[in-house]
Amino acid sequence: GDSFSPASITSDGVKEFPWTQRWFRVDVQVARSSACYIDDESKGLDRMQTDGEACHEYCLHFLAHGEFTVYTNEGNVWCGIDPCHSHIPLSGLLQRDNEKQGMESCTLWLDGGQWQTGFWFGLQPPTDELGFRILKFQLQTKNSVVNEVYHDLSMLIEWVEHMYEKEGISLNTENGYYEPLEVVPPLLRRVLHLLNLSCDCYDQTQCLTDLKEKLRSIYQDCTTSESYMQICLVGHAHMDLVWLWPERVTYKKIIHSYSNVLQLMNKYPQFTFTMSQPPLYFHIREKQPDLAARIEEKVKGGQWEFTGALEVEADTQIPVGEGLIRCILYGQERIKAIRGSVSDTVWIPDVFGYSQCLPQIFYLAEIPNFFTTKILWSTITKFPHNSFVWTGPDGESEVLAHLGVAGYSGKVSLKEVIIGGRNYKQADVHNEVLCPSGY
């Protein structure tokens, strides 16, 4: 609960933060092997049997006001920490401690940004009295089997809850009484039965490895025929160059965010990420060349897609046509310098309003595709299409447009994906929906 920066609140209640940083040094020393202890939020379960198959990974649980970027002792960016990303992975950082036998250690440097911006989930903001505070700092071990079981079970429960809501079934009533399932889809009945058997198996054996295998078998056994729609999930971190913060903070934010993207890519080879706006990358190349080199490697490998065509995600109504054309010329030149080719897609998910000359400009710039979202935000005029060919006022210039039915900051929830597919108006002629996910 120690404060590390004051916050000031004006007479009209608007919080004003100083937009500065504080540095913290963290020295970590751990035993080279450890039993897996579950976090204190696990309602008393402190140790679980895993038949020796679990991988125990050390991490630091760090919860604080502000946005932190973690650096290694060598000065390389490691990851970003904020209320939505509260764990610092230590795998790959810990080195044998030559002074103490059986121990490993490392030193981290935390660049603490004193600002509360954008999305602020699950954490009360700083106060005038207490300012920015470090709320929790704890060494933990992550059990890989526990992690897999948690996510497999959570997804199945999310699907059951969605089906209950869809069928109009009450989840629970008073005194723990559940209404009998008289008329329900056969697949729901089957999943509930297998979930009960899986939980019974764990109650009897107390073995998480057995529970993991039981849950995986549910996914294999219970498939649906509703596989026509393809929901294309891609990682995304929409970044306004200036919004609720000064521009210099933007460049702190991208180092913070993109280091987390690289952590995810190294852990999950199937994970892909879409990025736009060349100035963001070129700033990283100037200030953090090691981070830029790792991004370039992912771009070449196909995990990191650099797209957008524009130098910045520009407004399209205030600038004159020449300004938009210059934005494309400069953007495509620098995108080609990064990925080896120009972008075939204009990516502007966050603009309000669209000039009618855009199809002509995109057509003349030889850009065939266009992605956006906010035309769907209107509560008055409902736009009738999600995928369509947009023809310019000349009657000849065309661009293929796709509107993200799930926005551009998806949460990758099952309900969001299902609703996205059901809301897609062109499902009769095209079965793919793009869902950019992340903040």
Side-chain angles (χ1 to χ4, degrees), residues 38-68:
I38 311 304
D39 190 13
D40 56 5
E41 297 175 357
S42 63
K43 300 181 180 180
L45 296 176
D46 65 348
R47 190 189 294 264
M48 292 187 176
Q49 177 188 355
T50 60
D51 288 353
E53 295 186 12
C55 174
H56 301 153
E57 300 177 358
Y58 281 110
C59 63
L60 288 173
H61 186 195
F62 182 72
L63 191 61
H65 293 122
E67 299 174 13
F68 289 72

Side-chain angles (χ1 to χ4, degrees), residues 334-393:
R334 300 222 285 175
I335 289 173
K336 185 176 181 180
I338 298 166
R339 55 179 265 181
S341 61
V342 297
S343 172
D344 63 357
T345 302
V346 173
W347 180 279
I348 42 174
D350 194 33
V351 296
F352 295 86
Y354 309 89
S355 170
Q356 66 172 347
C357 71
L358 291 182
Q360 289 173 280
I361 292 176
F362 298 161
Y363 177 79
L364 292 172
E366 299 182 343
I367 305 171
N369 306 309
F370 174 55
F371 177 80
T372 191
T373 63
K374 284 196 170 176
I375 197 171
L376 300 176
W377 283 28
S378 175
T379 58
I380 306 300
T381 304
K382 296 297 183 182
F383 197 74
H385 308 292
N386 299 123
S387 292
F388 58 96
V389 175
W390 186 8
T391 303

Side-chain angles (χ1 to χ4, degrees), residues 91-274:
S91 298
L93 290 179
L94 294 168
Q95 301 292 328
R96 184 188 301 271
D97 194 321
N98 295 324
E99 297 181 0
K100 294 188 177 181
Q101 186 176 5
M103 303 296 288
E104 293 179 327
S105 62
C106 68
T107 296
L108 302 174
W109 295 87
L110 277 58
D111 180 4
Q114 299 169 83
W115 48 74
Q116 173 203 341
T117 60
F119 300 97
W120 198 259
F121 293 108
L123 193 64
Q124 292 296 320
T127 64
D128 189 35
E129 178 183 3
L130 298 176
F132 286 74
R133 288 175 293 153
I134 297 175
L135 305 172
K136 189 173 186 179
F137 208 165
Q138 184 181 55
L139 178 66
Q140 297 179 349
T141 53
K142 181 179 179 181
N143 184 313
S144 61
V145 175
V146 173
N147 187 60
E148 291 180 46
V149 166
Y150 170 80
H151 287 289
D152 286 345
L153 188 56
S154 295
M155 187 60 63
L156 288 168
I157 292 174
E158 190 176 343
W159 181 83
V160 169
E161 290 176 344
H162 168 74
M163 291 300 295
Y164 269 46
E165 181 180 349
K166 180 180 177 182
E167 297 296 323
I169 304 170
S170 175
L171 279 173
N172 198 354
T173 58
E174 294 181 2
N175 303 318
Y177 171 73
Y178 289 85
E179 297 179 358
L181 300 179
E182 299 291 353
V183 180
V184 297
L187 185 61
L188 175 58
R189 248 184 238 283
R190 178 66 175 164
V191 170
L192 288 171
H193 172 67
L194 293 176
L195 276 172
N196 283 330
L197 291 179
S198 300
C199 294
D200 288 345
C201 173
Y202 177 72
D203 287 340
Q204 295 168 8
T205 66
Q206 291 293 298
C207 180
L208 278 172
T209 303
D210 290 347
L211 178 57
K212 182 184 76 170
E213 297 304 321
K214 292 287 186 182
L215 293 175
R216 291 291 171 89
S217 69
I218 297 177
Y219 285 93
Q220 297 171 358
D221 182 76
C222 301
T223 58
T224 174
S225 59
E226 298 178 7
S227 59
Y228 172 72
M229 289 302 301
Q230 300 293 319
I231 309 299
C232 304
L233 296 169
V234 60
H236 182 54
H238 176 73
M239 182 61 66
D240 291 299
L241 268 70
V242 177
W243 183 34
L244 302 176
W245 50 82
E247 187 174 0
R248 60 187 174 84
V249 171
T250 301
Y251 297 113
K252 292 278 188 181
K253 283 176 168 288
I254 59 172
I255 292 172
H256 170 102
S257 296
Y258 295 163
S259 60
N260 280 342
V261 172
L262 288 170
Q263 287 279 352
L264 289 170
M265 286 185 171
N266 291 334
K267 189 170 185 178
Y268 306 104
Q270 70 274 27
F271 172 69
T272 58
F273 181 79
T274 292

Side-chain angles (χ1 to χ4, degrees), residues 26-40:
V26 180
D27 293 316
V28 181
Q29 189 176 75
V30 299
R32 279 161 54 188
S33 62
S34 171
C36 180
Y37 289 92
I38 311 304
D39 190 13
D40 56 5

Side-chain angles (χ1 to χ4, degrees), residues 309-332 346 348 351 353-359 361-362 365 367:
L310 301 165
E311 174 75 352
V312 297
E313 292 181 11
D315 180 87
T316 69
Q317 299 197 96
I318 296 177
V320 297
E322 181 182 350
L324 292 173
I325 292 169
R326 287 182 182 274
C327 193
I328 291 175
L329 290 174
Y330 291 137
Q332 290 285 55
V346 173
I348 42 174
V351 296
Y354 309 89
S355 170
Q356 66 172 347
C357 71
L358 291 182
I361 292 176
F362 298 161
I367 305 171

